Amino acid sequence: MRNKIKVFRAMHDLTQEDLAQAIGVTRQTILAIEKGKYVPSLDLAFRISRRFSVNIEEVFQYDDAHLSIDID
Amino acid sequence: MKKNTFYLVVGCIALALLAIFWYSVEVHHPFIIEPSFIVAILIIYLIRKKVTDFIEDERTTRITEQASLRTFQVFWVVFCALSIGAVMQILYVPTFPRASVPVRPPELLGPRMMGYFQLGLLCLMIFLYVGFRIYYARKYGEWETDAE
């Protein structure tokens, strides 16, 4: 799962701490999501995208490399 | 209540428990320490709810869940494997006892050995939990740093 949280944060001039406080998580969680160490739940993903007033797909993209279904 | 105050209270409770434990050893009465331990844990849980500056989110909860689950998975296998040995003592029935050989079940765990056995299991559980917690905290980016 890839995400553009860092980009949206820069666009909205938000620090990790600001975003974390706005959505009720720790700064470490935002950092872990940005670095791809932690995949957020759907609920948290929605909260993040709502904070940036965009659709969830604009912030989070499912990496096709992780698809395990072979399409022939 | 602040986090530091909570840790101080936990320290005091731990010291009190240690004193009660040694008193139980002196009077050789385990029923003093056992309910005390349960009450102490209940008090800690109740006080923890009153701490205001603990921030828990889904990632920290997931670390705790994963560490607990893995600890339980390993622990129950070890516990069952060792307990089967103890159950053998209960179920020991010689099928063809010889008249010349005295019939008695094998002494696997004496009362003193049972204490060491329990201590070993307790240490195993603690080490497993701490180990898994460190592993999952690292996996989910607990100690990641970012120059911002």
Side-chain angles (χ1 to χ4, degrees):
Chain A
M1 183 86 80
R2 288 180 290 114
N3 67 75
K4 291 181 184 168
I5 295 177
K6 206 165 187 170
V7 176
F8 277 100
R9 269 200 311 109
M11 284 163 62
H12 287 79
D13 196 22
L14 282 173
T15 63
Q16 288 173 342
E17 189 66 53
D18 294 337
L19 179 60
Q21 279 183 358
I23 58 172
V25 295
T26 59
R27 191 186 85 91
Q28 210 59 34
T29 298
I30 299 297
L31 179 57
I33 295 169
E34 280 184 5
K35 289 204 162 190
K37 287 268 182 181
Y38 177 69
V39 178
S41 69
L42 205 51
D43 178 66
L44 182 55
F46 268 110
R47 272 190 282 155
I48 293 169
S49 54
R50 289 269 163 86
R51 175 63 190 78
F52 297 130
S53 310
V54 290
N55 286 328
I56 196 166
E57 299 91 345
E58 291 179 57
V59 186
F60 297 94
Q61 291 88 36
Y62 190 74
D63 199 351
D64 287 344
H66 288 108
L67 277 174
S68 57
I69 305 164
D70 289 325
I71 304 163
D72 288 320
Chain B
M1 183 188 281
K2 293 281 174 195
K3 207 159 49 175
N4 289 345
T5 317
F6 171 71
Y7 289 137
L8 270 173
V9 173
V10 170
C12 292
I13 290 172
L15 280 175
L17 268 182
L18 195 68
I20 294 169
F21 174 75
W22 280 116
Y23 179 72
S24 297
V25 173
E26 284 290 321
V27 296
H28 200 66
H29 212 299
F31 294 111
I32 301 170
I33 182 65
E34 286 168 354
S36 305
F37 182 77
I38 294 168
V39 169
I41 297 297
L42 283 175
I43 291 170
I44 289 171
Y45 275 136
L46 287 174
I47 296 173
R48 199 178 185 281
K49 282 185 179 175
K50 303 221 180 278
V51 181
T52 49
D53 53 350
F54 261 137
I55 304 173
E56 275 198 337
D57 57 22
E58 60 174 50
R59 189 183 58 87
T60 52
T61 308
R62 187 159 174 80
I63 291 169
T64 309
E65 275 175 6
Q66 289 285 316
S68 307
L69 179 72
R70 296 289 175 227
T71 304
F72 179 70
Q73 282 177 333
V74 176
F75 183 76
W76 86 261
V77 174
V78 177
F79 182 75
C80 283
L82 294 173
S83 297
I84 287 166
V87 171
M88 267 178 61
Q89 279 186 310
I90 305 168
L91 300 176
Y92 183 76
V93 181
T95 320
F96 301 109
R98 289 185 214 157
S100 57
V101 182
V103 179
R104 52 190 283 269
E107 192 74 27
L108 290 176
L109 285 173
R112 198 176 181 81
M113 277 305 291
M114 196 66 193
Y116 287 119
F117 171 72
Q118 293 283 349
L119 184 67
L121 283 177
L122 193 66
C123 289
L124 175 76
M125 194 158 60
I126 292 166
F127 276 111
L128 279 175
Y129 182 74
V130 171
F132 279 125
R133 215 185 148 87
I134 291 169
Y135 172 76
Y136 282 106
R138 200 187 175 97
K139 185 179 174 184
Y140 294 128
E142 185 70 33
W143 296 295
E144 289 287 322
T145 50
D146 192 23
E148 198 179 6

